[in-house]
């Protein structure tokens, strides 16, 4: 019994590591890459060694032979023969193709049935038993007792054992190769140990039966081990089948989910989906496709995709579909007609449908981009066109001017600005202003027609590129036509309105060879036209650029002068006509430039008014004058008023009145002593706003004077409309009253009307005794001029005031 146990242990020690070695080789990267012939040799070595060594150990266990050098050499020699036999046998099996020698995914998955394994097992079992008989009879010359029943019994058990281990090895490979289930050496070692006991005990039993009756114990070991091997083989295969069934169910569930997801993606996709055959016939469509086309499912399935697209798109569509069939995925845009003849712009994505590597159809996804493209077209249009008038915008007209420059042909750039447009917006509202701009644009188009390009640069500024120009005379003729056309009344907001234009012209290439230069020069010319009195046009001249550069330099110098307080105030007294006493003083700004010397207000005030500098400059004048008035009043009480000129921009500024109130409080000046002089242009251009602000200032206590009365377009009705305290008659009338009867009559009438309205009259520019006598005769209130004093510095004015007071008291 001890010998049997020792024998079986040795069988396990030999077989289990060798069989695990085989499994290890087939699972490593090197083993997978091993050539099949080399693997066949490796397998033949393992089998030949087991077939030779196990019977040798069995013969030693029952002491049929003795362990010696001779027996070892004979066993080694027979091992070589056995290896060769196994190698040839495996090659034949592999060639026949019934059983794969080297396991692979393809071979493992191939259905082989029981017969190949059974034939292989019978052949191997018969060979082993014949080998043992040959070994004992021919090699060792030991007399044998062969019992047919024992032989049949042994070959049956051995065949069964070999068959079971062959199936186990196959299913271990299925675990690894097919279902990716891990193989542990503990699991494989268990199988191989049971096989080793079954295989070894059967060999032991067969050898024992050749000499004497077989022992009961070895028979039981053989049968039980075989039964256990059979049971665990069946159990393992059953377990594997259950696992595979579970895997299949999971895969089926995934397939079902994927199918449902696909159906959801297909059925509920907001984009239209068409499935076509290779001829372009519709085979299936989703609900979105029916909504898009307007057809029902039955109608769509009777159509081809070429039946929907526009005729001019058909050829391109067919070419795209051929590219898809060749293997490309194509994206393109096309147009179709729906059932109700609506034109729809589609963005198409088409790809091929493959089943088992065979192209069976085309998958088309169509997105309706009609509205999107319309929006994009509008965006592109607005990028170069003015939304209000439909004319080219700044970018668009600049681009067209550049194109004309590239052509090299002569043309004129005509820049136009609507005169007094702000007044229209202020009085009639911005909606009325927009309406007027649209009407002006239409008149431009009717006048220009196809002779040029028209653009709106912004606000009330328009630009014409006169491309059909042959001479400057033709440009002037065109401008005359435009001005004539604008004289016809516009009807807006229930009001008839006549407008005028200020126009500047520059010519290509004489006035500039690029767009920016041409428009800059046209703008200079337009500014000159405005300066000349509006409703006018001017052509660019080189001197305009010099003037513009001078203005730019002056602008920077004014800014710097405000910061460094280079300005100072002079004061010109106002005298009462009756008693010659000082009744007021007008603050007048002066500029002593550190390098250029004295600069006349007539040079820098208009530039300041054209820019925003007039507001900080005007604020500086107010504070400086208030501070001076406070100083005079501190030295000795004064009773005269202080006049300050207020520019139109400063007057309508939202911060003007708050600033004025802060300054009055800061310098403790009484508003009743402050006379604010405004121009008649302010009353004309901003009538309602001016009246509103005058009323606010009057409530606070300020006095209001209208300066330079009569020089512009002021009607006498403004004297009754505005609550004025005084008017100043311009010196152009006063200068000639002694020699010009018309001027004398005008001044006398103005004084009379103002007196009747309780408005004081100041005559400015009085220089002679004769002028004074006339004004005294007409009962004028105040005079101002060189007859008494020119504008003088604040210190000199203080001295002048003291002397005047002494003279007044003495009289």
């Amino acid at each position: 019994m001890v010998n049997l146990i020792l024998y079986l242990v040795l069988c396990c020690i030999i077989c289990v590591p060798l069989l695990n070695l085989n499994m290890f080789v087939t699972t490593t990267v090197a083993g997978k890459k091993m050539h099949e012939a080399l693997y066949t040799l490796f397998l033949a070595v393992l089998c030949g060694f087991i077939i030779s060594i196990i019977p040798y150990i069995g013969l030693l266990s029952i002491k049929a032979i003795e362990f010696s050098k001779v027996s070892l050499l004979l066993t080694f020699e027979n091992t070589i023969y056995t290896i060769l036999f196994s190698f040839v046998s495996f090659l034949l099996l592999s060639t026949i193709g019934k059983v794969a020698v080297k396991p692979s995914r393809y071979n493992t998955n191939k259905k082989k049935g029981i017969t190949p394994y059974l034939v292989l097992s019978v052949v191997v079992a018969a060979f082993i038993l014949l080998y043992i008989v040959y070994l004992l009879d021919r090699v060792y010359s030991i007399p044998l007792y062969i019992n047919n029943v024992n032989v049949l019994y042994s070959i049956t058990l051995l065949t069964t054992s070999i068959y079971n281990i062959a199936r186990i090895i196959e299913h271990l490979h299925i675990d690894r190769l097919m279902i990716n289930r891990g193989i542990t050496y503990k699991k494989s070692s268990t199988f191989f140990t049971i096989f080793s006991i079954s295989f070894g005990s059967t060999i032991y039993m067969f050898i024992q039966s050749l000499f004497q009756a077989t022992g009961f114990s070895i028979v039981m070991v053989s049968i039980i081990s075989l039964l256990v091997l059979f049971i665990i083989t069946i159990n393992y295969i059953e377990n594997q089948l259950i696992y595979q069934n579970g895997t299949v169910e999971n895969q089926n569930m995934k397939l079902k989910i994927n199918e449902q997801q696909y159906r959801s993606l297909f059925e509920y996709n907001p984009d239209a989906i068409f499935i076509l055959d290779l001829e372009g016939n519709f085979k299936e469509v989703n609900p979105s496709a029916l909504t898009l086309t307007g057809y029902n499912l039955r109608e769509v399935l009777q159509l081809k995709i070429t039946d929907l697209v526009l005729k001019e798109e058909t050829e391109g569509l067919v070419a795209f579909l051929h590219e898809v069939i060749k293997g490309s995925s194509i994206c393109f845009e096309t147009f179709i007609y729906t059932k109700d003849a609506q034109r729809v712009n589609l963005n198409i994505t088409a790809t091929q449908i493959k089943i088992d590597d065979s192209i069976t159809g085309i998958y088309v996804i169509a997105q309706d981009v009609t509205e999107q493209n319309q929006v994009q077209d509008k965006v592109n249009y607005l990028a170069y066109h003015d939304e209000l008038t439909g004319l080219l915008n700044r970018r668009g007209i600049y681009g067209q001017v550049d194109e004309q420059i590239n052509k090299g042909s002569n043309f004129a750039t005509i820049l136009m600005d609507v005169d007094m447009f702000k007044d229209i917006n202020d009085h009639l509202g911005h909606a009325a202003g927009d309406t007027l701009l649209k009407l002006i644009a239409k008149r431009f188009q009717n006048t220009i027609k196809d002779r040029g390009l028209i653009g709106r640069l912004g606000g009330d500024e328009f630009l014409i590129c006169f491309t059909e120009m042959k001479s400057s005379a033709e440009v002037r003729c065109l401008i005359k036509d435009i001005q004539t056309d604008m004289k016809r009344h516009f009807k807006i907001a229930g009001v008839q309105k006549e407008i005028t234009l200020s126009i500047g012209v520059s010519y290509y290439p004489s006035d500039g060879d690029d767009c920016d230069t041409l428009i800059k020069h046209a703008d200079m010319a337009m500014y000159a036209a405005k300066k000349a009195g509006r409703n006018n046009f001017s052509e660019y001249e080189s001197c305009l650029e010099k003037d513009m550069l001078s203005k730019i330099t002056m602008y920077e110098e004014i800014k710097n002068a405000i910061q460094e307080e280079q300005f100072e105030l002079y004061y010109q007294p106002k005298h009462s006509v009756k008693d010659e006493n000082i009744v007021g003083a007008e603050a007048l700004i002066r500029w002593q430039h550190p390098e250029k010397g004295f600069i006349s207000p007539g040079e820098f005030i208009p530039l300041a008014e054209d820019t925003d500098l007039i507001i900080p400059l005007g604020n500086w004048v107010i504070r400086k004058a208030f501070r001076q008035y406070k100083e005079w009043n501190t030295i000795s009480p004064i009773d005269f008023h202080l006049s300050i000129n207020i520019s139109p921009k400063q007057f309508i500024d939202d911060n003007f009145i708050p600033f004025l109130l802060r300054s009055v409080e800061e310098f403790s000046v009484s508003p009743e002593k402050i006379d604010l002089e405004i121009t008649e242009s302010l009353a004309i251009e901003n009538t309602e706003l001016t009246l509103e602000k005058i009323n606010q200032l009057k409530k606070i206590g300020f006095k209001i004077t209208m300066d330079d009365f009569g020089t512009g377009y002021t009607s006498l009705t403004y004297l009754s409309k505005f609550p004025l305290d005084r008017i100043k008659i311009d010196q152009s009338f006063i200068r000639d009253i002694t020699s010009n009867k018309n001027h004398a009559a005008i001044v006398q009438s103005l004084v009379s009307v103002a007196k009747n309205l309780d408005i004081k009259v100041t005559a400015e520019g009085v220089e002679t005794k004769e002028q004074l006598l006339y004004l005294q005769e007409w009962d004028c209130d105040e005079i101002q001029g060189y007859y008494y004093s020119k504008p003088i510095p604040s210190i000199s004015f203080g001295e002048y005031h003291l002397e005047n007071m002494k003279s007044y008291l003495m009289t």
Side-chain angles (χ1 to χ4, degrees):
M1 188 66 182
V2 175
N3 289 339
L4 175 61
I5 294 172
L6 183 60
Y7 164 76
L8 292 175
V9 170
L10 287 173
C11 288
C12 292
I13 291 172
I14 293 170
C15 292
V16 172
L18 291 177
L19 292 173
N20 273 327
L21 177 62
N22 175 55
M23 294 297 299
F24 173 77
V25 168
T26 58
T27 57
T28 59
V29 175
K32 292 177 182 178
K33 294 181 179 180
M34 187 183 295
H35 192 273
E36 188 169 0
L38 185 60
Y39 177 76
T40 301
L41 178 61
F42 166 75
L43 192 59
V45 170
L46 294 183
C47 292
F49 183 77
I50 291 173
I51 291 172
S52 300
I53 200 66
I54 296 300
Y56 176 71
I57 295 173
L59 291 172
L60 291 175
S61 298
I62 63 173
K63 300 180 179 180
I65 60 173
E66 292 183 359
F67 179 75
S68 63
K69 185 177 180 180
V70 175
S71 65
L72 281 174
L73 288 174
L74 288 173
T75 302
F76 177 74
E77 181 181 349
N78 289 314
T79 299
I80 299 298
Y81 295 146
T82 307
I83 289 172
L84 291 174
F85 171 78
S86 299
F87 180 70
V88 173
S89 299
F90 290 152
L91 282 179
L92 289 174
L93 287 171
S94 179
T95 303
I96 294 171
K98 295 295 182 182
V99 177
V101 175
K102 183 182 179 184
S104 66
R105 179 179 293 273
Y106 174 77
N107 288 322
T108 304
N109 192 36
K110 188 176 179 181
K111 187 175 180 180
K112 295 178 284 289
I114 297 175
T115 304
Y117 289 101
L118 194 56
V119 171
L120 176 63
S121 301
V122 171
V123 170
V124 173
F127 172 76
I128 293 172
L129 297 182
L130 287 174
Y131 168 76
I132 293 172
V133 172
Y134 168 78
L135 188 64
L136 293 173
D137 185 41
R138 300 294 183 182
V139 177
Y140 293 106
S141 300
I142 298 173
L144 303 175
Y145 173 73
I146 298 176
N147 186 323
N148 292 334
V149 175
N150 287 340
V151 171
L152 183 61
Y153 181 68
S154 297
I155 199 170
T156 301
L157 292 178
L158 196 57
T159 298
T160 305
S161 179
I162 293 170
Y163 174 80
N164 276 290
I165 197 62
R167 298 310 297 263
I168 284 175
I169 290 174
E170 179 195 27
H171 284 279
L172 286 173
H173 285 302
I174 289 174
D175 269 352
R176 180 176 60 82
L177 296 173
M178 294 302 300
I179 60 179
N180 297 319
R181 194 161 64 155
I183 303 171
T184 63
Y185 284 106
K186 181 179 179 181
K187 182 191 295 184
S188 60
S189 295
T190 301
F191 293 141
F192 296 154
T193 299
I194 302 297
F195 164 73
S196 300
I197 294 172
S198 174
F199 178 76
S201 61
T202 302
I203 297 296
Y204 191 92
M205 180 184 67
F206 177 70
I207 294 172
Q208 197 177 49
S209 69
L210 294 176
F211 294 98
Q212 57 191 1
T214 306
F216 177 75
S217 58
I218 191 62
V219 173
M220 292 305 298
V221 170
S222 178
I223 293 174
I224 291 172
S225 62
L226 181 60
L227 183 61
V228 170
L229 181 63
F230 179 76
I231 290 172
I232 64 173
T233 301
I234 295 300
N235 181 69
Y236 179 69
I237 293 173
E238 183 181 27
N239 176 265
Q240 191 179 69
L241 288 174
I242 293 172
Y243 182 84
Q244 285 181 297
N245 286 336
T247 303
V248 170
E249 288 180 2
N250 287 336
Q251 292 297 327
N252 288 337
M253 182 59 70
K254 288 181 181 178
L255 288 174
K256 186 176 180 180
I257 292 172
N258 287 339
E259 182 182 2
Q260 290 176 352
Q261 289 175 342
Y262 164 76
R263 294 309 303 179
S264 296
L265 182 63
F266 182 79
E267 295 290 340
Y268 302 111
N269 198 312
D271 294 332
I273 300 176
F274 304 90
I275 297 178
L276 314 177
D277 62 17
L278 298 180
E279 284 72 41
N281 298 301
F282 291 118
K283 305 304 293 180
E284 191 174 357
V285 298
N286 71 343
S288 296
L290 301 178
T291 303
L292 174 68
T293 61
Y295 292 98
N296 60 39
L297 182 60
R298 183 180 59 81
E299 291 171 333
V300 168
L301 296 181
Q302 293 175 356
L303 300 173
K304 299 179 71 169
I305 191 168
T306 51
D307 296 330
L308 294 181
V309 300
L310 276 62
K311 290 183 180 180
E312 56 268 28
E313 299 282 326
T314 304
E315 185 176 346
L317 176 65
V318 171
F320 282 130
L321 295 182
H322 282 177
E323 289 296 319
V324 174
I325 294 172
K326 290 179 182 178
S328 302
S329 290
I330 300 292
C331 291
F332 60 94
E333 283 195 14
T334 189
F335 294 88
I336 68 167
Y337 278 124
T338 63
K339 185 177 180 180
D340 55 359
Q342 288 187 356
R343 180 182 168 124
V344 179
N345 187 192
L346 298 181
N347 183 15
I348 300 290
T349 301
T351 186
Q352 58 185 208
I353 301 172
K354 273 189 175 183
I355 299 177
D356 294 333
D357 295 328
S358 177
I359 301 172
T360 60
I362 300 172
Y363 196 75
V364 175
I365 300 176
Q367 184 181 18
D368 185 353
V369 293
T370 306
E371 184 175 351
Q372 175 183 330
N373 286 351
Q374 288 173 348
V375 171
Q376 186 60 46
D377 290 342
K378 185 175 182 181
V379 170
N380 293 338
Y381 177 83
L382 292 178
Y384 297 97
H385 291 80
D386 176 49
E387 187 173 9
L388 178 66
T389 62
L391 301 176
L392 292 169
N393 61 12
R394 181 181 295 270
R395 179 187 297 175
I397 192 67
Y398 276 31
Q400 292 296 326
V401 172
D402 284 333
E403 285 189 18
Q404 293 301 317
I405 291 173
N406 292 333
K407 290 179 181 178
S409 56
N410 295 348
F411 63 90
T413 50
I414 305 172
L415 191 63
M416 298 173 291
D417 185 83
V418 181
D419 295 331
M420 309 292 288
F421 182 75
K422 185 177 182 300
D423 188 50
I424 296 171
N425 271 340
D426 291 342
H427 288 77
L428 301 179
H430 288 279
D434 289 345
T435 301
L436 177 60
L437 290 174
K438 288 190 282 187
L439 294 173
I440 291 172
K442 287 183 179 179
R443 290 199 186 177
F444 281 151
Q445 290 171 324
N446 291 334
T447 305
I448 303 300
K449 294 184 171 58
D450 57 353
R451 294 184 292 172
L453 303 160
I454 312 169
R456 180 187 175 213
L457 301 186
D460 60 331
E461 199 170 54
F462 295 87
L463 179 68
I464 293 174
C465 179
F466 187 23
T467 57
E468 299 299 317
M469 181 198 75
K470 294 181 175 63
S471 65
S472 58
E474 193 173 4
V475 175
R476 296 187 192 101
C477 183
L478 175 66
I479 291 173
K480 186 176 181 181
D481 290 342
I482 292 172
Q483 290 175 322
T484 302
D485 205 23
M486 292 301 149
K487 287 182 179 178
R488 292 188 292 112
H489 286 91
F490 293 90
K491 188 173 183 180
I492 50 173
V495 177
Q496 287 191 339
K497 189 74 177 175
E498 179 182 325
I499 69 163
T500 60
L501 302 173
S502 293
I503 303 172
V505 183
S506 63
Y507 297 96
Y508 174 82
S510 59
D511 294 335
D513 57 4
D514 64 83
C515 179
D516 289 335
T517 303
L518 286 168
I519 294 174
K520 181 182 74 172
H521 288 167
D523 187 57
M524 291 178 184
M526 184 182 74
Y527 181 83
K530 278 184 175 292
K531 194 173 180 181
R534 299 190 177 95
N535 191 24
N536 206 341
F537 85 94
S538 175
E539 296 176 317
Y540 171 75
E541 297 176 4
S542 58
C543 62
L544 294 177
E545 188 154 18
K546 293 178 182 178
D547 291 343
M548 185 60 68
L549 290 174
S550 176
K551 286 183 174 65
I552 293 172
T553 303
M554 178 72 74
Y555 174 82
E556 295 299 327
E557 289 178 337
I558 295 172
K559 281 195 343 185
N560 186 57
I562 294 173
Q563 293 174 358
E564 297 181 1
E565 295 196 358
Q566 294 177 7
F567 298 102
E568 61 178 315
L569 290 184
Y570 278 42
Y571 299 88
Q572 187 174 29
K574 296 180 183 180
H575 287 264
S576 170
V577 173
K578 291 181 179 180
D579 54 19
E580 298 187 0
N581 187 31
I582 293 178
V583 293
E586 181 179 2
L588 299 168
I589 191 168
R590 295 293 183 264
W591 184 12
Q592 190 66 31
H593 194 281
E595 296 175 1
K596 298 179 180 179
F598 178 78
I599 298 178
S600 169
E603 292 184 46
F604 66 85
I605 291 295
L607 179 59
E609 287 180 341
D610 287 340
T611 64
D612 291 334
L613 290 179
I614 195 63
I615 294 177
L617 185 60
N619 290 343
W620 180 86
V621 170
I622 290 172
R623 289 177 55 80
K624 187 74 173 178
F626 282 8
R627 182 183 288 112
Q628 185 61 63
Y629 194 82
K630 180 181 180 181
E631 289 178 6
W632 286 335
N633 200 41
T634 302
I635 296 171
S636 63
I638 53 177
D639 193 36
F640 60 81
H641 66 263
L642 180 65
S643 295
I644 300 174
N645 292 289
I646 306 299
S647 78
K649 272 191 177 181
Q650 186 180 18
F651 189 84
I652 63 175
D653 183 60
D654 292 338
N655 197 43
F656 172 64
I657 293 179
F659 173 80
L660 201 61
L661 293 176
R662 289 196 302 269
S663 300
V664 164
E665 184 178 355
E666 180 182 353
F667 297 104
S668 302
V669 177
S670 173
E672 288 80 5
K673 295 296 184 180
I674 304 300
D675 180 32
L676 303 176
E677 296 190 9
I678 63 174
T679 62
E680 62 177 20
S681 63
L682 178 65
I684 297 171
E685 295 180 9
N686 301 278
T687 304
E688 294 179 5
L689 181 59
T690 301
L691 182 59
E692 179 185 344
K693 288 206 168 189
I694 288 176
N695 287 328
Q696 292 180 34
L697 292 167
K698 293 283 290 181
K699 286 180 181 179
I700 297 169
F702 290 101
K703 306 301 181 184
I704 305 296
T705 294
M706 183 170 287
D707 194 12
D708 300 331
F709 191 85
T711 58
Y713 302 95
T714 314
S715 169
L716 289 176
T717 58
Y718 282 97
L719 294 179
S720 61
K721 188 170 185 179
F722 290 97
L724 301 173
D725 293 286
R726 62 174 47 83
I727 61 172
K728 289 180 73 173
I729 301 176
D730 189 72
Q731 60 183 343
S732 61
F733 292 102
I734 303 299
R735 186 182 301 117
D736 299 329
I737 58 173
T738 59
S739 59
N740 189 319
K741 293 182 179 180
N742 292 334
H743 283 190
I746 291 172
V747 173
Q748 186 178 10
S749 298
L750 288 175
V751 172
S752 176
V753 171
K755 283 289 184 182
N756 291 325
L757 295 173
D758 198 24
I759 298 174
K760 290 184 178 182
V761 179
T762 301
E764 62 178 347
V766 177
E767 297 180 356
T768 65
K769 180 69 174 179
E770 290 78 7
Q771 293 170 346
L772 175 61
L773 294 174
Y774 272 89
L775 294 170
Q776 286 177 338
E777 182 183 349
W778 297 332
D779 201 19
C780 181
D781 297 294
E782 303 166 352
I783 59 173
Q784 178 181 353
Y786 281 18
Y787 178 76
Y788 284 106
S789 173
K790 65 181 180 180
I792 54 179
S794 58
I795 296 176
S796 301
F797 185 87
E799 296 172 353
Y800 179 85
H801 176 250
L802 289 174
E803 291 180 4
N804 181 263
M805 285 292 294
K806 290 178 183 178
S807 300
Y808 177 74
L809 292 173
M810 290 176 64
T811 58

